[in-house]
Amino acid sequence: MRRPVRVLLWIVGLAITAYLMVLTLLWSQQQSLIYPAPTKLNPLTGGFEHVTYRTSDGLDLAAGYRAGERGKPTIIYFHGNGADWVSSVNATDRLVPMGYGVLAAEYRGYRGNPGTPHEDGLYRDGRAALAFLATRGIAAGDVVIIGNSIGSGVAVQMASEQAPQALVLISPFASLRQLVGEKMRWAPTGLLLRDRYENAEKIVSIDAPLLLLHGNADTLIPDTHSRQLERLRDDATLVIFEGKGHDLAWHDEAEEAVLSFLQTLDKRGNAQ
């Protein structure tokens, strides 16, 4: 065999080996890539009760809860993957003064909680959070579910299992599988990805008012995902925020949009 051909085959073999090694690394490390739980914890905030609830697989999860005024719905807030439940308190600080209750839900493996995060596990965590509210006398119909970023996957699943008063998704994806495929077109992500969070498949069957919020400068999850979800629901309300990125949930404009949406629901309910 001529030397140039041998060199070419060697280069091709090396490239294939490197590619397979990268795929192996992605497969083995995907949980830490999808769920980068913060190592630096947000400082505790006042006004919230520290509560614990047990999941169906036996984990005791610590979270934060603040009861609302009588007659007001309670918000259950599922945060993004790089945050913790205290960030949910900050993201609802304009809603609490208006009388809404808030359960700042937490996940396994976050903020010192036991367990390792994964899709089925986070769904179990969400169900445990809703069950906790039930022990406080709060029915699903009196709950507004809010999900930010990867929390949108938990929020959509919970809304598909329960019948909440409303569903709010902030910077959501149509599906994690789709998003990762868009980011890594060179890899067979459909085969590699274990956690998928198929929001688009589930959202069509959810019978609850839907608010979608997204920033058009979001480089992590493009606003095309919220636009895709809106097209699946004729009754959805979509608000696009000019110049806002993936930190939209902590901007006053986002909270004001949620508040306006909830007040509209309150008025509609009082008129019936």
Side-chain angles (χ1 to χ4, degrees), residues 26-176:
L26 289 174
W27 167 259
S28 63
Q29 299 300 314
Q30 61 182 281
Q31 297 307 108
S32 61
L33 294 172
I34 295 172
Y35 306 101
T39 54
K40 181 179 179 181
L41 302 181
N42 289 316
L44 295 176
T45 184
F48 273 70
E49 175 187 356
H50 293 252
V51 299
T52 301
Y53 43 81
R54 175 160 290 192
T55 67
S56 60
D57 53 348
L59 300 181
D60 291 321
L61 303 182
Y65 173 66
R66 179 168 179 149
E69 295 178 1
R70 185 173 182 177
K72 285 285 190 178
T74 295
I75 294 164
I76 182 168
Y77 199 106
F78 296 109
H79 64 73
N81 60 3
D84 59 34
W85 73 259
V86 177
S87 72
S88 304
V89 174
N90 298 330
T92 55
D93 59 7
R94 291 202 171 198
L95 304 175
V96 167
M98 302 304 295
Y100 296 98
V102 174
L103 172 57
E106 192 53 284
Y107 310 133
R108 61 189 62 206
Y110 279 73
R111 203 176 177 90
N113 280 327
T116 301
H118 53 88
E119 183 176 2
D120 180 67
L122 265 62
Y123 292 161
R124 291 175 184 267
D125 302 344
R127 295 182 191 113
L130 285 165
F132 165 81
L133 289 180
T135 67
R136 297 295 176 104
I138 302 169
D142 296 320
V143 174
V144 173
I145 300 177
I146 299 181
N148 176 41
S149 189
I150 204 161
S152 69
V154 186
V156 168
Q157 180 65 30
M158 295 305 102
S160 72
E161 296 178 3
Q162 302 278 345
Q165 186 175 122
L167 173 63
V168 178
L169 303 179
I170 305 173
S171 308
F173 41 66
S175 82
L176 182 63

